Amino acid sequence: MRKKHSDLELGVYLIFGGAWLIISGLRRFRRKRDVEDTSTAKIRSAPQGSVEVQGYAWPFESQEKNNLDGKECVFRNLVVLKKVNAGKRSSWIKVYEDHHELPFLVFDQTGTVLVKPEGADYEVRKVKYRWKDIHPKMQDVLKMKISTSGFPPSGGMFGPIFEFHEKYILAGSPVYLRGNFSTPANRPRVNPAGGFVDFVTKVRSLTPESNFFKLLDGNGSGEISEEEARFGFSTAAAISLRQRTKLGTIGCAGIITSSLTTRLYIADCHQQYLLKRLKNWNFLRIVFGAILVGAGVVMILSDLKQHG
């Protein structure tokens, strides 16, 4: 009986998988058009309502969160999966999830804005970790929070297998925001984490001739790539954060959040790199999805013809 329906089941899986690829591809295409058609605004002169800005992320005092590398971040989503074997079949089940989504700051050359990310849509790269690659301090945290058989993994050949999937935005990371900007009558005042002034000074004094630029441009190409920006700015931010110099409260130009008509969109890179990311493999994603849907339909029709 199982064999009788195998082609039908596979056909259904192919159709659903192909449809997901097509829909996600079309969404990314529309997202790319939206990002492409609107130029970013400077924070100090941003208009009220729907707006796009880009800058660098910074946490509040006593509100930082560490990722699995032990680095401080303003956003983090961690999912821990465990491989479960049942006879000849195996599957992955989620045994733990940690979602850190609290307000943070973004600044550019002109000002600082308060970001309230609740319900935001994130375009953030996912990183997969092995247990041995996780920072020892974060291993200790996970040991206290995860309670399931076989955890923590021993690293042996016969023990349970775990995967650690994490998305994060590091402190100091370049970010792109598309959302609703407003300036309340009483502008918000916030308490940024220590080292804020030091990091802002480094970023705002950045020129192709500066030593900071040369440090960011690791390969000496004269341009800062997406990965060089992500790594370099976050590393510089980590150095500034270690100073823990108390600044007190500062004023913000306004607030960016979601609205009834605009869902806040946050990416862990600047606009030029985001456009490349949204474009990469998108056409092939849609084409491959269509091929899967077609193959699924053929398999279902063939199965129905044989057993109809």
Side-chain angles (χ1 to χ4, degrees):
M1 181 64 69
R2 184 75 188 171
K3 178 64 177 176
K4 176 180 179 179
H5 297 287
S6 60
D7 288 348
L8 179 63
E9 293 173 352
L10 181 57
V12 171
Y13 292 146
L14 288 175
I15 290 176
F16 275 102
W20 180 85
L21 286 173
I22 293 172
I23 292 171
S24 64
L26 292 174
R27 283 179 178 172
R28 292 176 70 84
F29 176 77
R30 286 195 295 268
R31 176 72 72 184
K32 176 178 176 294
R33 290 292 300 271
D34 289 341
V35 173
E36 212 167 26
D37 291 345
T38 309
S39 58
T40 56
K42 298 296 183 183
I43 289 176
R44 180 179 295 175
S45 57
Q48 304 292 302
S50 182
V51 70
E52 296 182 25
V53 300
Q54 60 185 14
Y56 302 88
W58 197 261
F60 290 168
E61 183 67 35
S62 304
Q63 195 169 289
E64 309 97 304
K65 186 79 171 182
N66 292 336
N67 72 346
L68 293 182
D69 290 322
K71 298 178 180 178
E72 294 177 86
C73 50
V74 299
F75 164 78
R76 176 197 188 216
N77 180 261
L78 169 65
V79 175
V80 181
L81 302 175
K82 178 182 179 181
K83 190 174 184 180
V84 177
N85 297 314
K88 295 183 178 180
R89 295 193 172 192
S90 62
S91 60
W92 291 92
I93 61 170
K94 182 168 66 175
V95 295
Y96 178 75
E97 182 171 9
D98 180 26
H99 188 75
H100 173 81
E101 183 182 52
L102 292 172
F104 60 94
L105 301 175
V106 169
F107 72 90
D108 66 4
Q109 294 289 339
T110 67
T112 304
V113 67
L114 170 61
V115 183
K116 294 186 175 181
E118 183 178 0
D121 182 16
Y122 290 89
E123 175 66 39
V124 179
R125 293 191 182 277
K126 180 168 67 176
V127 181
K128 292 184 180 181
Y129 291 84
R130 296 173 298 179
W131 176 252
K132 67 177 184 178
D133 298 325
I134 297 174
H135 192 281
K137 179 177 70 173
M138 299 309 298
Q139 286 185 350
D140 292 338
V141 172
L142 293 178
K143 288 175 184 177
M144 291 187 294
K145 292 187 175 183
I146 299 178
S147 177
T148 185
S149 61
F151 191 88
S154 62
M157 294 180 59
F158 303 104
I161 299 175
F162 292 87
E163 283 192 355
F164 304 83
H165 298 184
E166 188 174 45
K167 295 181 178 181
Y168 53 80
I169 298 177
L170 294 172
S173 172
V175 289
Y176 166 92
L177 306 170
R178 180 185 177 90
N180 185 74
F181 181 87
S182 62
T183 305
N186 295 322
R187 296 196 177 189
R189 297 192 64 82
V190 297
N191 190 14
F196 178 69
V197 172
D198 181 71
F199 183 65
V200 170
T201 302
K202 289 177 183 176
V203 173
R204 290 182 176 172
S205 62
L206 181 65
T207 65
E209 295 77 29
S210 65
N211 290 330
F212 187 31
F213 184 94
K214 295 174 183 177
L215 289 173
L216 294 173
D217 182 20
N219 59 7
S221 65
E223 296 182 355
I224 302 174
S225 68
E226 178 183 349
E227 287 304 312
E228 287 174 336
R230 279 160 49 88
F231 175 77
F233 282 109
S234 62
T235 300
I239 295 172
S240 296
L241 280 164
R242 284 200 291 268
Q243 297 180 6
R244 295 299 177 195
T245 305
K246 298 294 184 180
L247 176 63
T249 60
I250 63 169
C252 295
I255 302 171
I256 291 185
T257 185
S258 296
S259 68
L260 294 176
T261 57
T262 305
R263 184 182 181 188
L264 179 59
Y265 178 69
I266 303 175
D268 60 341
C269 61
H270 282 170
Q271 186 186 52
Q272 66 187 100
Y273 304 118
L274 176 60
L275 289 172
K276 293 179 181 179
R277 190 187 299 183
L278 292 173
K279 179 181 178 181
N280 285 347
W281 304 104
N282 213 31
F283 177 74
L284 291 179
R285 183 193 300 254
I286 295 173
V287 171
F288 187 60
I291 292 173
L292 290 181
V293 170
V297 170
V298 169
M299 294 191 72
I300 290 175
L301 292 177
S302 175
D303 185 86
L304 292 176
K305 184 177 180 180
Q306 291 178 18
H307 304 98

